[in-house]
Amino acid sequence: MPDNRRSQVVTQGSQRTPNRAMLRAVGFGDNDFTKPIVGLANGYSTITPCNVGINDLAKRAEVAFQQAGAMPQMFGTITISDGISMGTEGMKYSLVSREVIADSIETVCNGQSMDGVLAIGGCDKNMPGALIGIARTNIPGIFVYGGTIKPGNYKGKDLTVVSAFEAVGQYSAGKITTEELLAIERNACPGAGACGGMFTANTMSSAFEAMGMSLPYSSTMAAEDEEKAESTEKSAFVLVEAIRKQILPSQILTRKAFENAISVVMAVGGSTNAVLHLLAIAKTIGVELSLDDFETIRQRVPVLCDMKPSGKYVTINLHQAGGIPQVMKMLLVHDLLHGDALTISGQTIAEVLADVPDAPPENQDVIRPWNNPVYPQGHLAILKGNLAEEGAVAKVSGVKNKTITGTARVFESEEECLDAILAGKIKAGNVVVVRYEGPKGGPGMREMLAPTSAIIGAGLGDSVGLITDGRFSGGSYGMVVGHVAPEAAVGGTIGLVKEGDSITIDSEKLLLQLNVSEEELATRRANWQPTPPRYNRGVLGKYAKLVSSSSVGAVTDLGLF
């Protein structure tokens, strides 16, 4: 990466006057060339409620940078709405967009020799994409979350976008009427902001706050509230100070920071996607992190927050109860957080949390007291076995039966699986297998929110298992296991399962097992043939060629390390 940034370069003599001339055309005056030039990566788009309010935040940050003595240079980056593309071929572009976002931020910041970067994003892949990009440049950077959506409401119950997906399953099972289905759909998403439960967006914003890459309390603010704009403005001032002090991502994104993030993800009941994204960010910044680390931390960190999708509350309720700082302080006082980890403000985690109470408020039950957690251990279990030699991720919150041995129902795509569920062809005791949806096989590792929501809506959440080499939405829950690796497309055992086989999912023994003899598996493996790539050109073709296993974060530059 470049050693010299443009604010240094443009003052180095007459040979650089063309640079100065072009910068004058975008508003630089004589006194501006020695100021830090800060990239403002703006994830604004009108394609999703998650990002529709971001441009106003970017403009607020732009003014703050100018007031702080910096020269902001705004540029755009993309988003794909998982909620809108869910269940379609377009969902294959979602995880790919994480790499496109990272590439765009790296390209602009290094290509234009930026001194620092503030990235604003709202949807699921904006966040890890931004942090991967910041990590690659290793210039002072801060992430600003666009904010969570406020809950919808129907008949006195809070709604999220997942309510609409589950309503489809309820309708197919004859549990609600057409009128009720439409009423839930019409009321689920009332305005701007990312999906309101502890789904992927709010999980990753919480993780970034825990890592010190975002300001305290910022990860749970509502998109439409004034405090979100004020926090964005403050983020710009903090970043300019970090540029002056040269506080770099590599100093913040340490092993301790990742362990803090994992602890917080477990405590808030966060999304399975956090596993994939934290592995990818760690790989980028050069921190050793593995699936086993998630399991180690899971076993010692309780779930403290009663959050949707399996719990009662949405993210603004968590914010009102004390937010992520309250959760972090509880972990800190019980020696489950590294208090000496650095943050972008230059303070340590312990210093940031100094004035936060040791225990949550008594007049609420969003954040449980330490001696009365939602679950005594974390909810994201890492399973291994002959079906997942590299590992798989199970989300066990809200599941009554921790173990299921059932009959395999095998599907080669999400669409085939969903059709079978909605047609009533999946019965109690089945283990649904959805394969060739992995990073290479999909390609793009689609999320299975529609099938999992349909299973829940049909009342089968405690009696049907689902395993896939694809992913799950942060809104998924039940006896579901994703990120199965190796994936089917590269010869993983999931590709050898036959209809009617016996499969065991055991979240207590951390086992994902195909109950078939080694001799039979060897025969099947010898007869297995790879399927032709689904895409040979374009971004999906490139992605399928480059992407690594989900067990190391599904990064696209692993072969370059």
Side-chain angles (χ1 to χ4, degrees):
M1 67 186 66
D3 292 324
N4 296 315
R5 300 293 161 187
R6 183 167 300 279
S7 60
Q8 299 165 337
V9 169
V10 294
T11 60
Q12 290 178 354
S14 59
Q15 72 273 23
R16 291 295 178 182
T17 53
N19 306 70
R20 293 168 66 102
M22 295 191 73
L23 289 170
R24 287 185 191 280
V26 296
F28 277 62
D30 288 341
N31 296 325
D32 295 327
F33 290 107
T34 57
K35 296 176 181 178
I37 299 178
V38 184
L40 210 172
N42 183 356
Y44 166 70
S45 96
T46 59
I47 202 167
T48 167
C50 313
N51 291 54
V52 73
I54 285 177
N55 202 44
D56 290 337
L57 298 180
K59 291 178 178 178
R60 186 78 170 254
E62 186 176 41
V63 172
F65 277 129
Q66 293 165 344
Q67 292 173 344
M71 294 301 291
Q73 301 294 290
M74 192 183 301
F75 62 93
T77 187
I78 68 160
T79 195
I80 297 294
S81 171
D82 292 8
I84 295 172
S85 64
M86 195 74 69
T88 73
E89 195 77 357
M91 186 64 196
K92 293 181 178 181
Y93 288 86
S94 172
L95 187 58
V96 177
S97 75
R98 184 188 75 180
E99 308 307 301
V100 177
I101 293 163
D103 290 349
S104 67
I105 291 174
E106 176 194 2
T107 299
V108 174
C109 289
N110 281 346
Q112 301 302 138
S113 303
M114 300 291 186
D115 295 296
V117 59
L118 181 150
I120 309 180
C123 206
D124 293 6
K125 307 309 173 298
N126 297 169
M127 281 164 271
L131 218 61
I132 290 170
I134 291 170
R136 288 180 188 171
T137 65
N138 200 32
I139 58 176
I142 193 168
F143 182 78
V144 172
Y145 179 37
T148 186
I149 197 171
K150 293 181 179 180
N153 190 276
Y154 178 64
K155 291 186 175 179
K157 292 184 178 181
D158 283 345
L159 299 178
T160 69
V161 67
V162 175
S163 306
F165 283 92
E166 291 180 0
V168 173
Q170 292 168 336
Y171 176 76
S172 298
K175 295 184 175 184
I176 60 174
T177 66
T178 302
E179 290 74 19
E180 289 173 312
L181 173 64
L182 291 174
I184 291 170
E185 177 265 316
R186 288 167 178 155
N187 290 282
C189 299
C195 300
M198 192 47 69
F199 310 148
T200 302
N202 288 318
T203 298
M204 295 314 300
S205 67
S206 300
F208 291 178
E209 182 177 326
M211 298 171 91
M213 291 297 294
S214 296
L215 295 189
Y217 299 99
S218 65
S219 65
T220 53
M221 292 174 178
E224 297 177 321
D225 286 352
E226 175 60 20
E227 66 175 349
K228 171 50 64 178
E230 292 170 354
S231 177
T232 302
E233 181 180 277
K234 184 177 179 182
S235 296
F237 282 98
V238 168
L239 179 59
V240 172
E241 188 62 23
I243 293 170
R244 293 192 175 110
K245 293 179 178 177
Q246 280 300 285
I247 300 174
L248 305 178
S250 57
Q251 297 170 285
I252 300 170
L253 297 174
T254 62
R255 169 76 184 203
K256 290 181 178 180
F258 283 96
E259 290 184 356
N260 285 349
I262 296 169
S263 293
V264 167
V265 168
M266 296 296 177
V268 300
S271 167
T272 53
N273 285 310
V275 178
L276 192 76
H277 298 323
L278 290 173
L279 286 170
I281 298 163
K283 181 67 68 174
T284 301
I285 203 69
V287 169
E288 291 294 326
L289 193 70
S290 72
L291 284 173
D292 292 337
D293 295 317
F294 287 83
E295 181 58 35
T296 298
I297 294 172
R298 180 191 77 84
Q299 293 187 19
R300 64 183 186 228
V301 175
V303 178
L304 297 172
C305 301
D306 191 10
M307 304 293 293
K308 289 181 179 292
S310 61
K312 292 190 292 185
Y313 295 105
V314 294
T315 303
I316 62 166
N317 301 134
L318 174 59
H319 188 65
Q320 292 160 355
I324 296 304
Q326 180 63 76
V327 176
M328 292 177 69
K329 186 60 174 286
M330 295 170 70
L331 295 171
L332 181 66
V333 298
H334 289 90
D335 297 322
L336 292 172
L337 212 65
H338 298 288
D340 58 343
L342 184 67
T343 73
I344 186 62
S345 69
Q347 296 175 291
T348 65
I349 290 291
E351 289 170 339
V352 169
L353 301 175
D355 295 330
V356 178
D358 290 354
E362 294 182 356
N363 60 346
Q364 56 80 46
D365 62 349
V366 184
I367 306 174
R368 296 280 192 86
W370 189 263
N371 60 2
N372 184 31
V374 182
Y375 303 104
Q377 291 182 319
H379 63 300
L380 300 181
I382 306 302
L383 308 189
K384 293 186 178 181
N386 67 359
L387 255 176
E389 293 94 337
E390 293 177 15
V393 184
K395 189 175 186 179
V396 298
S397 53
V399 177
K400 294 178 181 177
N401 300 319
K402 302 296 183 183
T403 302
I404 181 172
T405 295
T407 304
R409 298 297 316 278
V410 182
F411 302 95
E412 308 299 319
S413 72
E414 178 186 2
E415 288 86 352
E416 290 181 16
C417 170
L418 182 60
D419 288 345
I421 297 168
L422 296 180
K425 296 179 180 179
I426 302 302
K427 308 296 184 183
N430 288 162
V431 176
V432 176
V433 179
V434 187
R435 62 191 183 191
Y436 292 98
E437 289 285 9
K440 286 184 177 292
M445 212 177 175
R446 284 195 290 183
E447 293 180 346
M448 303 293 146
L449 178 58
T452 59
S453 296
I455 288 171
I456 294 294
L460 297 170
D462 293 316
S463 58
V464 168
L466 189 152
I467 69 171
T468 180
D469 50 10
R471 295 181 295 132
F472 294 116
S473 163
S476 295
Y477 67 103
M479 183 57 82
V480 296
V481 184
H483 308 195
V484 172
E487 62 175 294
V490 300
T493 306
I494 191 172
L496 308 180
V497 180
K498 291 185 177 181
E499 187 84 6
D501 281 348
S502 171
I503 292 176
T504 295
I505 305 170
D506 191 330
S507 62
E508 293 180 327
K509 294 182 179 178
L510 305 177
L511 180 68
L512 186 61
Q513 186 78 15
L514 177 61
N515 300 313
V516 171
S517 70
E518 287 299 320
E519 293 78 13
E520 172 63 17
L521 275 180
T523 300
R524 294 184 189 182
R525 189 166 279 111
N527 294 326
W528 178 83
Q529 294 292 326
T531 58
R534 287 170 169 164
Y535 295 85
N536 291 301
R537 302 182 66 183
V539 67
L540 291 181
K542 289 190 290 184
Y543 184 84
K545 183 77 172 177
L546 293 171
V547 71
S548 66
S549 171
S550 60
S551 64
V552 291
V555 294
T556 53
D557 54 356
L558 185 63
L560 306 178
F561 293 160

